[in-house]
Amino acid sequence: MAAPSQPHKSTYDVIVIGAGIQGSFTAYHLAQRHKDTLLLEQFLLPHSRGSSHGQSRIIRSAYSQECYSRMMPDSFRLWQQLEAETGTTLYRQTGLVVLGLPGEPELEACRRSLGVDEVLDAAALARRFPGFRLPAGQVAVVDNTAGVLFADRALRAVQEVFRRHGGTLRDGEKVLRIEPGAMVTVTTAAGVYKAPRLILTAGAWTGAFVGQLGLRLPLQPLRIDVCYWREKQPGSARLGRVSPCFLTLGLSQAPHGIYGLPSIEYPGLMKVCHHHGSPTDPEKRDQVPSSAPRPDIGILSSFISSYLPGLETQPAVMETCLYTNTPDGDFILDRHPKFSNIVIGAGFSGHGFKMAPVVGKLLCELSLGEEPSHSLAPFAITRFPSVLGAAL
């Protein structure tokens, strides 16, 4: 995918492995700092093998964890900057409804992060958003800043700006070996590259790469069912293009949480997914037999029957995506504990896309030895002390 005018060089200032949204934004920030950057992707672009494909992702300010709510204003600003740089619309404001129980700590933390006092009961929510039906005793908080990111379009946009700033993107080049040192050597199926800095953003494949470097991170790839649900009567659910996104917190009906987005990919279908899945090997995710049990579908069907009665209770379209989860659901953004010129960004646990502009900036800052623009304490490898022995 390198532009024809770009020579096939072997030495760079920085190499980034993995051209999903996190790696692409990392490379984008490096190129803006005039670093000669190579971005490597094992699959031919565009592809649907990782975690960054698809047309839509939720972006929101509402977070119960302070570390994320503090990052979101910066993320919104950087998304807007990318829109301006490319002249492309990447975001549609729809609002977000957070469903939960009154007084539930996570819901209250979301409300505080938004700086709002209003909590909607079932009747108030139905008046404002008629497609939703809340069981008695449950409530909702509204995030008016939230909306939908156009994921595929966003990934293309950030890669376009990266190349515009002189970056080199090579797809269809599987990385075979990483050799640490003052100059890190990366051997791919097509060549050998060297750089004094390496950044790993390889999604579900990160565990295998850091394993080569003596580090066992607790990363679990999950195969997620991405489901789209048809309106019983066109327009009846009132969940079309202008309806809000939603997510659940702490509901017994929605273990691990359920989220939904308005109709974008498929007209008349709403995207509703369980924030969980089945452990998988990323090399074998498409080998699951059609007869394999899908407990998430039953959870979603029951939820839709109760909360979204305007939708059919069986999915009309089913796709898959990969999450790479950490045990606590928080990111890993840190240097390798032994090789300080190797930086790792991993474990985005199904909620990292919206923060990719900030994550990329932080990984860039880490690699260049700059003061990080946000605290990295919540994302340190040292919070998993059992993994460090082999690397030291």
Coordinates of all heavy atoms in Angstrom, one line a residue, residues 261-312:
L261 N -26.7 0.9 18.8 CA -26.5 2.0 17.9 C -27.6 2.1 16.9 O -28.2 1.1 16.5 CB -25.2 2.0 17.1 CG -23.8 2.0 17.9 CD1 -23.5 0.6 18.4 CD2 -22.7 2.5 17.0
P262 N -28.0 3.3 16.5 CA -29.1 3.4 15.5 C -28.7 2.9 14.2 O -27.5 2.5 13.9 CB -29.3 5.0 15.4 CG -28.0 5.6 15.9 CD -27.4 4.6 16.9
S263 N -29.7 2.8 13.3 CA -29.5 2.2 12.0 C -28.6 3.0 11.1 O -28.8 4.1 10.8 CB -30.9 2.1 11.3 OG -30.8 1.6 10.0
I264 N -27.4 2.4 10.8 CA -26.5 3.0 9.8 C -26.0 2.0 8.8 O -26.2 2.2 7.6 CB -25.2 3.5 10.6 CG1 -25.7 4.7 11.5 CG2 -24.1 4.0 9.6 CD1 -24.6 5.3 12.4
E265 N -25.5 0.8 9.3 CA -25.0 -0.2 8.3 C -26.1 -0.7 7.4 O -26.0 -0.8 6.2 CB -24.4 -1.3 9.1 CG -23.0 -1.0 9.6 CD -23.0 -0.5 11.1 OE1 -24.1 0.1 11.4 OE2 -22.0 -0.7 11.8
Y266 N -27.3 -1.1 8.1 CA -28.4 -1.7 7.4 C -29.6 -0.9 7.6 O -30.1 -0.9 8.8 CB -28.5 -3.2 7.8 CG -27.3 -4.0 7.6 CD1 -26.5 -4.3 8.7 CD2 -26.9 -4.5 6.4 CE1 -25.3 -5.1 8.6 CE2 -25.8 -5.2 6.2 CZ -25.0 -5.6 7.3 OH -23.9 -6.3 7.2
P267 N -30.2 -0.3 6.7 CA -31.4 0.5 6.9 C -32.5 -0.3 7.5 O -32.8 -1.5 7.1 CB -31.8 1.0 5.5 CG -30.6 1.0 4.7 CD -29.8 -0.2 5.3
G268 N -33.1 0.2 8.6 CA -34.2 -0.5 9.3 C -33.7 -1.5 10.3 O -34.6 -2.2 10.9
L269 N -32.4 -1.6 10.5 CA -31.9 -2.6 11.5 C -31.1 -1.8 12.5 O -30.4 -0.9 12.2 CB -30.9 -3.6 10.8 CG -31.5 -4.5 9.7 CD1 -30.4 -5.5 9.3 CD2 -32.8 -5.1 10.0
M270 N -31.3 -2.2 13.8 CA -30.5 -1.6 14.9 C -29.4 -2.5 15.3 O -29.6 -3.7 15.4 CB -31.4 -1.2 16.0 CG -30.7 -0.5 17.1 SD -31.9 0.0 18.4 CE -30.8 1.1 19.4
K271 N -28.2 -2.0 15.6 CA -27.1 -2.8 16.0 C -27.2 -2.9 17.6 O -27.1 -1.9 18.3 CB -25.8 -2.1 15.6 CG -24.5 -2.8 16.0 CD -23.3 -2.0 15.4 CE -22.0 -2.6 15.7 NZ -20.9 -1.8 15.1
V272 N -27.4 -4.1 18.1 CA -27.4 -4.3 19.5 C -26.6 -5.5 19.8 O -26.7 -6.6 19.2 CB -28.9 -4.6 20.0 CG1 -28.9 -4.8 21.5 CG2 -29.8 -3.5 19.6
C273 N -25.6 -5.4 20.7 CA -24.6 -6.4 21.0 C -24.4 -6.6 22.5 O -24.5 -5.6 23.3 CB -23.3 -6.0 20.4 SG -23.4 -5.6 18.6
H274 N -24.0 -7.8 22.9 CA -23.6 -8.1 24.2 C -22.1 -7.8 24.3 O -21.3 -8.2 23.4 CB -23.8 -9.6 24.5 CG -23.7 -10.0 25.9 ND1 -23.4 -11.2 26.3 CD2 -23.8 -9.2 27.1 CE1 -23.4 -11.3 27.7 NE2 -23.6 -10.1 28.1
H275 N -21.7 -7.1 25.3 CA -20.3 -6.7 25.5 C -19.4 -7.8 26.0 O -18.7 -7.7 27.0 CB -20.2 -5.5 26.4 CG -18.9 -4.7 26.3 ND1 -18.5 -4.0 25.3 CD2 -17.9 -4.6 27.2 CE1 -17.3 -3.5 25.5 NE2 -16.9 -3.9 26.7
H276 N -19.5 -8.9 25.3 CA -18.8 -10.2 25.8 C -18.8 -11.1 24.6 O -19.5 -10.9 23.6 CB -19.5 -10.8 27.0 CG -18.8 -11.8 27.7 ND1 -17.5 -11.6 28.2 CD2 -19.0 -13.2 27.9 CE1 -17.1 -12.7 28.8 NE2 -18.0 -13.7 28.6
G277 N -18.0 -12.2 24.8 CA -18.0 -13.2 23.7 C -17.2 -14.4 24.1 O -17.1 -14.7 25.3
S278 N -16.8 -15.2 23.2 CA -16.2 -16.5 23.4 C -14.7 -16.4 23.2 O -14.2 -15.9 22.2 CB -16.8 -17.6 22.5 OG -18.2 -17.6 22.6
P279 N -13.9 -17.0 24.1 CA -12.4 -17.0 23.8 C -12.1 -17.6 22.5 O -12.7 -18.6 22.1 CB -11.9 -17.9 25.0 CG -12.9 -17.7 26.1 CD -14.2 -17.6 25.4
T280 N -11.1 -17.0 21.8 CA -10.8 -17.5 20.5 C -9.3 -17.3 20.2 O -8.6 -16.5 20.8 CB -11.6 -16.8 19.4 OG1 -11.5 -17.4 18.2 CG2 -11.2 -15.3 19.3
D281 N -8.8 -18.1 19.2 CA -7.5 -17.8 18.6 C -7.8 -17.0 17.4 O -8.5 -17.3 16.5 CB -6.9 -19.2 18.2 CG -5.6 -19.1 17.5 OD1 -5.2 -18.0 17.0 OD2 -4.9 -20.1 17.4
P282 N -7.1 -15.8 17.4 CA -7.4 -14.9 16.2 C -7.1 -15.5 14.9 O -7.7 -15.1 13.9 CB -6.5 -13.7 16.5 CG -5.5 -14.1 17.4 CD -6.1 -15.2 18.3
E283 N -6.3 -16.5 14.8 CA -6.0 -17.2 13.5 C -7.1 -18.1 13.1 O -7.1 -18.6 12.0 CB -4.7 -17.9 13.6 CG -3.4 -17.1 13.9 CD -3.0 -16.3 12.7 OE1 -3.6 -16.5 11.6 OE2 -2.1 -15.4 12.8
K284 N -8.0 -18.4 14.1 CA -9.0 -19.4 13.8 C -10.4 -18.9 14.1 O -11.4 -19.7 14.2 CB -8.8 -20.7 14.7 CG -7.4 -21.3 14.5 CD -7.2 -22.5 15.4 CE -5.8 -23.1 15.2 NZ -5.5 -24.2 16.2
R285 N -10.6 -17.6 14.2 CA -11.9 -17.1 14.5 C -13.0 -17.5 13.6 O -14.2 -17.6 13.9 CB -11.9 -15.6 14.7 CG -11.6 -14.9 13.4 CD -11.6 -13.4 13.5 NE -13.0 -12.9 13.3 CZ -13.2 -11.6 13.0 NH1 -12.3 -10.7 13.0 NH2 -14.4 -11.2 12.7
D286 N -12.7 -17.7 12.3 CA -13.7 -18.0 11.3 C -14.0 -19.5 11.2 O -14.7 -20.0 10.3 CB -13.3 -17.5 9.9 CG -13.2 -16.0 9.9 OD1 -14.0 -15.3 10.6 OD2 -12.3 -15.4 9.2
Q287 N -13.3 -20.3 12.1 CA -13.5 -21.8 12.0 C -14.5 -22.3 13.0 O -14.6 -23.5 13.2 CB -12.1 -22.4 12.2 CG -11.1 -22.1 11.2 CD -9.7 -22.7 11.5 OE1 -9.6 -23.7 12.2 NE2 -8.7 -22.1 10.9
V288 N -15.3 -21.4 13.6 CA -16.3 -21.8 14.6 C -17.4 -22.5 13.8 O -18.0 -21.9 12.9 CB -16.8 -20.6 15.4 CG1 -17.9 -21.1 16.3 CG2 -15.7 -20.0 16.1
P289 N -17.8 -23.7 14.2 CA -18.9 -24.4 13.5 C -20.2 -23.7 13.6 O -20.5 -23.1 14.7 CB -18.9 -25.8 14.1 CG -18.2 -25.7 15.4 CD -17.2 -24.6 15.2
S290 N -21.0 -23.7 12.6 CA -22.3 -23.0 12.6 C -23.2 -23.5 13.7 O -24.1 -22.8 14.2 CB -23.0 -23.1 11.3 OG -23.2 -24.5 11.0
S291 N -23.0 -24.8 14.2 CA -23.8 -25.4 15.2 C -23.3 -25.0 16.6 O -24.0 -25.4 17.6 CB -23.8 -26.9 15.1 OG -22.5 -27.4 15.2
A292 N -22.2 -24.2 16.8 CA -21.7 -23.9 18.1 C -22.7 -23.1 18.8 O -23.4 -22.2 18.3 CB -20.4 -23.1 17.9
P293 N -22.9 -23.3 20.2 CA -23.8 -22.5 20.9 C -23.5 -21.1 21.0 O -22.3 -20.7 21.0 CB -23.7 -23.2 22.3 CG -22.4 -23.8 22.4 CD -22.1 -24.3 21.0
R294 N -24.5 -20.2 21.0 CA -24.3 -18.8 21.0 C -25.2 -18.2 22.2 O -26.3 -17.7 21.9 CB -24.7 -18.1 19.7 CG -23.8 -18.5 18.5 CD -24.2 -17.8 17.2 NE -23.4 -18.1 16.1 CZ -22.4 -17.4 15.7 NH1 -22.0 -16.3 16.4 NH2 -21.7 -17.8 14.6
P295 N -24.7 -18.4 23.4 CA -25.5 -17.9 24.5 C -25.8 -16.4 24.5 O -26.9 -16.0 25.0 CB -24.7 -18.3 25.8 CG -23.3 -18.4 25.2 CD -23.4 -18.9 23.8
D296 N -25.0 -15.6 23.9 CA -25.2 -14.2 23.8 C -26.5 -13.8 23.1 O -27.1 -12.8 23.4 CB -24.0 -13.5 23.2 CG -22.7 -13.6 24.0 OD1 -22.8 -13.7 25.2 OD2 -21.6 -13.7 23.3
I297 N -26.8 -14.7 22.1 CA -28.1 -14.4 21.3 C -29.3 -14.5 22.2 O -30.2 -13.6 22.1 CB -28.2 -15.3 20.1 CG1 -26.9 -15.2 19.2 CG2 -29.4 -14.9 19.3 CD1 -26.5 -13.8 18.8
G298 N -29.3 -15.5 23.1 CA -30.4 -15.6 24.0 C -30.5 -14.4 25.0 O -31.6 -13.9 25.2
I299 N -29.4 -13.9 25.5 CA -29.4 -12.8 26.3 C -29.9 -11.5 25.6 O -30.7 -10.8 26.1 CB -27.9 -12.6 26.9 CG1 -27.5 -13.7 27.8 CG2 -27.8 -11.2 27.5 CD1 -26.0 -13.7 28.2
L300 N -29.4 -11.4 24.4 CA -29.9 -10.2 23.6 C -31.3 -10.3 23.3 O -32.1 -9.3 23.3 CB -29.0 -10.1 22.3 CG -27.6 -9.7 22.5 CD1 -26.8 -9.9 21.2 CD2 -27.5 -8.2 23.0
S301 N -31.8 -11.5 22.9 CA -33.2 -11.6 22.5 C -34.1 -11.3 23.7 O -35.2 -10.6 23.5 CB -33.5 -13.0 22.0 OG -32.8 -13.3 20.8
S302 N -33.8 -11.8 24.9 CA -34.5 -11.5 26.1 C -34.5 -10.0 26.4 O -35.6 -9.4 26.7 CB -34.0 -12.3 27.2 OG -34.7 -12.0 28.4
F303 N -33.4 -9.4 26.2 CA -33.2 -7.9 26.5 C -34.1 -7.1 25.5 O -34.8 -6.2 25.9 CB -31.8 -7.5 26.4 CG -31.6 -6.0 26.6 CD1 -31.4 -5.5 27.8 CD2 -31.5 -5.2 25.5 CE1 -31.2 -4.1 28.0 CE2 -31.3 -3.8 25.6 CZ -31.2 -3.3 26.9
I304 N -34.0 -7.4 24.3 CA -34.8 -6.7 23.3 C -36.3 -6.9 23.5 O -37.1 -5.9 23.4 CB -34.4 -7.2 21.8 CG1 -33.0 -6.6 21.5 CG2 -35.4 -6.8 20.8 CD1 -32.4 -7.1 20.3
S305 N -36.7 -8.0 23.9 CA -38.1 -8.3 24.2 C -38.6 -7.3 25.3 O -39.8 -6.8 25.2 CB -38.4 -9.7 24.6 OG -39.7 -10.0 24.9
S306 N -37.8 -7.1 26.3 CA -38.2 -6.3 27.4 C -38.0 -4.8 27.1 O -38.8 -4.0 27.5 CB -37.4 -6.7 28.6 OG -37.6 -8.0 29.0
Y307 N -36.9 -4.4 26.5 CA -36.5 -3.0 26.5 C -36.7 -2.3 25.1 O -36.9 -1.1 25.1 CB -35.0 -2.9 26.8 CG -34.6 -3.1 28.2 CD1 -34.5 -4.4 28.7 CD2 -34.4 -2.1 29.1 CE1 -34.2 -4.7 30.0 CE2 -34.1 -2.3 30.5 CZ -34.0 -3.6 30.9 OH -33.6 -3.9 32.2
L308 N -36.8 -3.1 24.1 CA -36.9 -2.6 22.7 C -38.0 -3.3 22.0 O -37.8 -4.0 21.0 CB -35.6 -2.7 22.0 CG -34.4 -1.9 22.6 CD1 -33.1 -2.4 22.0 CD2 -34.6 -0.4 22.3
P309 N -39.3 -3.2 22.4 CA -40.3 -4.0 21.9 C -40.7 -3.8 20.4 O -41.4 -4.6 19.8 CB -41.5 -3.6 22.8 CG -41.2 -2.3 23.3 CD -39.7 -2.2 23.5
G310 N -40.1 -2.7 19.8 CA -40.4 -2.5 18.4 C -39.5 -3.3 17.5 O -39.7 -3.2 16.3
L311 N -38.6 -4.1 18.1 CA -37.7 -4.9 17.3 C -38.0 -6.3 17.3 O -38.6 -6.8 18.3 CB -36.2 -4.7 17.8 CG -35.6 -3.3 17.8 CD1 -34.2 -3.4 18.3 CD2 -35.6 -2.7 16.4
E312 N -37.7 -7.0 16.2 CA -37.9 -8.5 16.2 C -36.9 -9.1 17.2 O -35.8 -8.5 17.5 CB -37.5 -9.0 14.8 CG -38.5 -8.6 13.7 CD -39.8 -9.2 13.7 OE1 -40.0 -10.1 14.6 OE2 -40.7 -8.8 12.9

